[in-house]
Amino acid sequence: MQFMKMAQMIEYYMLFALGLAIVALAVWALIDCLRHPADRFIQEGKRTKGFWTGLTVASTAVALLSMLSISGGILQLIAACIVCVYLADVKPAVSGKGGWYGY
C-alpha cells in the first residue's frame, strides 16, 4: 500500500514538472511571436503572424489549464507540439537566424 502512494506522488510531481515546462515554453513562444513584425512571417514563407499568435495564445491557455488541473492529456500534448514547431521552425526563420547561419 505504501508503494502505491509513493508511486502516485512521484507521478503527480512528474506531471506537474512536465506541465510547468510546457507552460514555460508556451510563454516563451508567445512572447517571441509578439515581438516580431508581421511582414517577416510572410517574407520567410510562413503562415501569418495572426495565425501563429492565435496558436501560441491557445497553446499557452491549454498548457496553463492542464497544469492547474494536473490532468495532462491529449490537449497538453497538442499544445506542446504547436509550441515546439513554432520554436524550432518559425522562430529561427522570422528572427533571421534560420538555415546554416552563413556556412
Side-chain angles (χ1 to χ4, degrees):
M1 192 62 156
Q2 185 69 10
F3 178 74
M4 288 302 293
K5 287 187 181 217
M6 182 181 287
Q8 288 174 343
M9 187 175 70
I10 290 171
E11 179 186 17
Y12 173 82
Y13 285 118
M14 288 178 68
L15 286 175
F16 185 78
L18 179 64
L20 194 61
I22 293 171
V23 167
L25 286 174
V27 169
W28 178 26
L30 177 60
I31 291 170
D32 186 75
C33 185
L34 291 174
R35 69 183 195 100
H36 292 294
D39 61 334
R40 290 288 297 164
F41 288 83
I42 303 300
Q43 182 181 5
E44 293 298 326
K46 303 299 176 189
R47 302 288 297 250
T48 64
K49 180 178 181 173
F51 175 81
W52 283 108
T53 302
L55 282 180
T56 54
V57 165
S59 296
T60 304
V62 166
L64 276 170
L65 292 174
S66 295
M67 189 189 82
L68 293 176
S69 68
I70 310 296
S71 64
I74 190 73
L75 291 179
Q76 190 178 30
L77 181 62
I78 292 170
C81 289
I82 290 170
V83 167
C84 288
V85 166
Y86 176 83
L87 291 174
D89 182 42
V90 180
K91 180 186 182 302
V94 298
S95 66
K97 297 180 182 174
W100 288 90
Y101 300 100
Y103 293 110

